[in-house]
Structure formats: structure tokens, C-alpha cells
Amino acid sequence: MVVRALRRELSRRLYIRAGVARAAAVRMAYLAYSRALLRWHDPSTPEAAQSLRRRLEQLFDEDWQDAQAGYHQLDALPLWEYARAAPRLLADLPRTRARMGRGDFRELPEEAAPERYPRYYARNFHYQSEGYLGHTSAALYDLQVELLFGGTADIMRRRLIPPVVRFVRASGASKARPMRLLDVGCGTGRFLRMLGAALPGSARLFGLDLSPHYIARARETLPRDLDVSLVCDNAERLPFLDGSFDAATSVFLFHELPAEVRARVLSELARVVRPGGIVVVADSVQLADAPELEKEILGFPDRFHEPYYLDYVKDDLAKRVEESGLRPTDTRLAFLSKIVTAEKASA
């Protein structure tokens, strides 16, 4: 028993140390990319650096603990996938740098007809080529996000899995009676893949995104045996009946929405979840969550085109969830993300 406990503790510590080292390596790659793109230098203070390290260690610790509890597996970074995308990212760098220099965030493909998309959406978020409205953008997005977050984006996404798995298990879901789960703003389907692996046979998955190119990428990359339906539509008006899902999730969506749209999307999530169901959402940490990281948080929209981020970080995500008609049951931080779990009152 003692030996087993020692092995477990050693495994935990090794995982945390390896994760922190990996994050440092990816962070160096991101800094090199940023300096080439922006001639930008890291503004972190010693206090901020200490806070980031502490939050990072906690993130890997919780990830390990939840894997041991059987909520998910400890997946490695898809290095081969990112290695294939890296040359395209570097080749696209001059276009992105030129766009930044011009302050041009309306350089979109000709087929991205403005009447098809809301004005707040039809733009080059992050100054990335094609915004969210092109195949190149969809192919590069996951690598870009991993670089931005120092190789922790997938781990932060995994922090949403435990409350969903606990809910599904408590509901007695099975292959004969699977839960219906909706992921809004599903992008390339990365979180849907995680949900499918964590809930084999006990969930029918649905993903919705406004970009047809990201939906196409999800269809191309998601496992063929995954029970998932993908829909291209606007989250402000979800094309589903009231109470048609047991659970709904959304990851890294709300900071890219104007305040009034953020409220509409949350209300739609509340509408399509059945009484007794849950909603789990995650996005960036907000200023009140990490005052020692104020310079880092505010530096993000200063470097990249993120027109709604400042409003978001000054807001209270849990309060907005509550105003949508849901009851928040848990709010927690995971490195640079904030996760709110809420339930819909039973009828």
C-alpha cells in the first residue's frame, strides 16, 4: 500500500514537471513567433511569472487527478499534426504581419458575403488570414491556440469534462439511452473529440459553429466512429427545440462576442437544455480573477484584433450565466481560463 502510494505521488509529480517543462518550450516557440510577427517582447513581471507558474502547476495537477479518477485520459500533444501545420503557419506570417501593420481586419475571402454573417463576426480576429471564414484558417487554428497558451489549450478544454461526465453518469445514460450533448462554437471539433472519448457509447454529440470552413474541418478530422452531428448556424438563434438537450457546452466563444450577443447566446443555451440539465462554459480569465495578471490580460487585445475582449474581461461570466436563467453551481479557474457550471431548474 505504501509503495503504491509512493508510485502514485511520483507519477503525479513527474507529470506536473514534464507538463511545466513542455509549456515552457512551447512558450519559447510562441515568443519567437510573436517577435517575428510583432517585434513584441514579453511584458511579464516577476509577480505575474510566479502566478502563471503556480496556476500552470495546478492545471497539470488537476488534469492528472481527474485522469486517475477516470474522467478522461492524459492525451499528449498531437505533435505530428502540428508539425504538418507549422510550415503553413510560417508561410502565412508575412500576410498576417502586413495586415497588422495596416490595421486591416476586413480582409476576408470574396465568398465570405457580408450579408451571410453578423458584422461582429465578419472580421480577421487576431488578424489571422481569412478570419474564421476560410480553409487555411481552419487548418491553422488549433496550432495557433496551442502556441498562444503554451501548449495548455487542450488541457484547459479538458477541465470541462469532469462535470459533464459526472452528470451523465448520475443520469444513468447508456447505449440504449444516450444523453444528448450540444457543443456551441465547436470550431474544428476538438472538444467534441474529447467528449466522445470520455463518454463512449453513452452520449450522442452535436456541434454547432457559424463557420462552414471550421465545420468542414471538424467533419474531416473527427473520428469516423464518433456519434456526432455537425450544424452550421448562428448561436444567437439555435435551430433546436426547447429542452432538446441534456447538456450544453461552449469553449472560448464569449470573449469574441459583443455583450448583447453574449447574453443572447447564453439565453439560447439555457433554452435548449431540458429542466434538470446542465450548461458548462469556459473562456478567458477575467480581471477580477487575476489582478496580478492585469498587464498580461490587457496586453492580449493590444497585440491582436480582439474588439470585444476588454468588455468581456471586465464582466462577470458567472453572473451572465445566472442572468440567462440558469443556476451556477461551480465556478473555477484553470490556468488562463474560467469555467462556469450551471444547472437548469427542474420543472
Side-chain angles (χ1 to χ4, degrees):
M1 184 70 71
V2 174
V3 173
R4 183 182 301 174
L6 288 173
R7 286 178 177 171
R8 177 184 172 91
E9 179 62 15
L10 178 61
S11 173
R12 184 184 72 84
R13 293 188 180 189
L14 286 175
Y15 181 72
I16 294 171
R17 290 183 181 180
V20 170
R22 185 187 75 186
V26 177
R27 174 73 172 168
M28 292 299 293
Y30 173 70
L31 288 175
Y33 174 74
S34 296
R35 285 166 184 157
L37 192 65
L38 301 161
R39 298 180 178 85
W40 175 76
H41 296 280
D42 188 359
S44 295
T45 64
E47 180 187 14
Q50 185 178 16
S51 173
L52 288 169
R53 168 116 189 169
R54 183 177 65 252
R55 292 169 184 271
L56 191 59
E57 290 175 347
Q58 183 179 0
L59 176 73
F60 282 105
D61 191 3
E62 291 177 352
D63 192 49
W64 187 89
Q65 298 281 2
D66 283 339
Q68 294 298 304
Y71 291 121
H72 58 69
Q73 295 181 341
L74 296 176
D75 295 330
L77 281 176
L79 296 179
W80 175 238
E81 175 188 333
Y82 291 157
R84 286 183 297 173
R88 294 181 68 179
L89 181 65
L90 293 174
D92 190 56
L93 192 151
R95 295 173 60 198
T96 305
R97 185 166 52 197
R99 197 175 299 111
M100 286 178 163
R102 300 191 306 268
D104 184 1
F105 55 85
R106 295 290 185 190
E107 188 182 81
L108 297 173
E110 291 184 4
E111 60 270 22
E115 63 272 11
R116 288 187 57 191
Y117 302 101
R119 184 171 177 79
Y120 67 81
Y121 185 78
R123 62 179 67 237
N124 301 88
F125 284 99
H126 325 132
Y127 290 112
Q128 66 193 30
S129 295
E130 303 171 341
Y132 289 128
L133 298 172
H135 293 296
T136 298
S137 169
L140 298 180
Y141 176 79
D142 290 322
L143 174 57
Q144 290 172 320
V145 173
E146 282 293 357
L147 285 172
L148 175 65
F149 287 122
T152 65
D154 275 352
I155 301 175
M156 288 191 287
R157 290 185 182 102
R158 283 206 292 266
R159 308 312 322 125
L160 283 78
I161 290 178
V164 175
V165 171
R166 284 193 292 267
F167 171 77
V168 171
R169 288 176 179 173
S171 300
S174 64
K175 289 184 178 180
R177 194 176 67 85
M179 296 281 98
R180 288 168 56 89
L181 307 182
L182 170 67
D183 186 40
V184 173
C186 67
T188 63
R190 205 154 194 90
F191 186 59
L192 286 168
R193 181 196 301 266
M194 294 177 182
L195 283 174
L199 298 166
S202 58
R204 184 175 181 199
L205 303 176
F206 294 78
L208 178 138
D209 201 275
L210 186 52
S211 170
H213 308 281
Y214 278 62
I215 288 290
R217 178 72 175 174
R219 288 198 175 103
E220 178 184 321
T221 58
L222 284 172
R224 294 290 176 247
D225 59 349
L226 186 63
D227 186 3
V228 60
S229 300
L230 298 171
V231 179
C232 185
D233 214 321
N234 192 333
E236 295 181 70
R237 301 179 301 277
L238 292 176
F240 306 110
L241 298 175
D242 294 2
S244 53
F245 292 95
D246 300 287
T249 60
S250 186
V251 187
F252 300 149
L253 170 65
F254 295 106
H255 73 278
E256 294 190 338
L257 303 177
E260 66 277 8
V261 177
R262 203 179 305 142
R264 283 198 291 272
V265 172
L266 284 168
S267 294
E268 281 293 279
L269 288 174
R271 178 183 67 79
V272 301
V273 169
R274 65 166 171 83
I278 66 166
V279 171
V280 188
V281 298
D283 213 300
S284 165
V285 292
Q286 298 177 300
L287 285 173
D289 304 319
E292 77 281 6
L293 299 179
E294 179 177 353
K295 184 179 293 186
E296 285 71 20
I297 292 172
L298 297 181
F300 179 52
D302 186 51
R303 299 192 304 275
F304 298 101
H305 180 62
E306 281 284 6
Y308 314 112
Y309 187 79
L310 283 178
D311 177 78
Y312 166 81
V313 296
K314 295 175 183 177
D315 201 3
D316 183 337
L317 183 58
K319 183 178 179 181
R320 299 296 162 237
V321 169
E322 186 173 17
E323 289 175 349
S324 73
L326 300 165
R327 185 177 72 85
T329 57
D330 184 66
T331 299
R332 63 182 58 208
L333 304 180
F335 190 37
L336 296 174
S337 65
K338 180 173 186 173
I339 302 158
V340 179
T341 301
E343 63 180 22
K344 187 171 179 177
S346 298

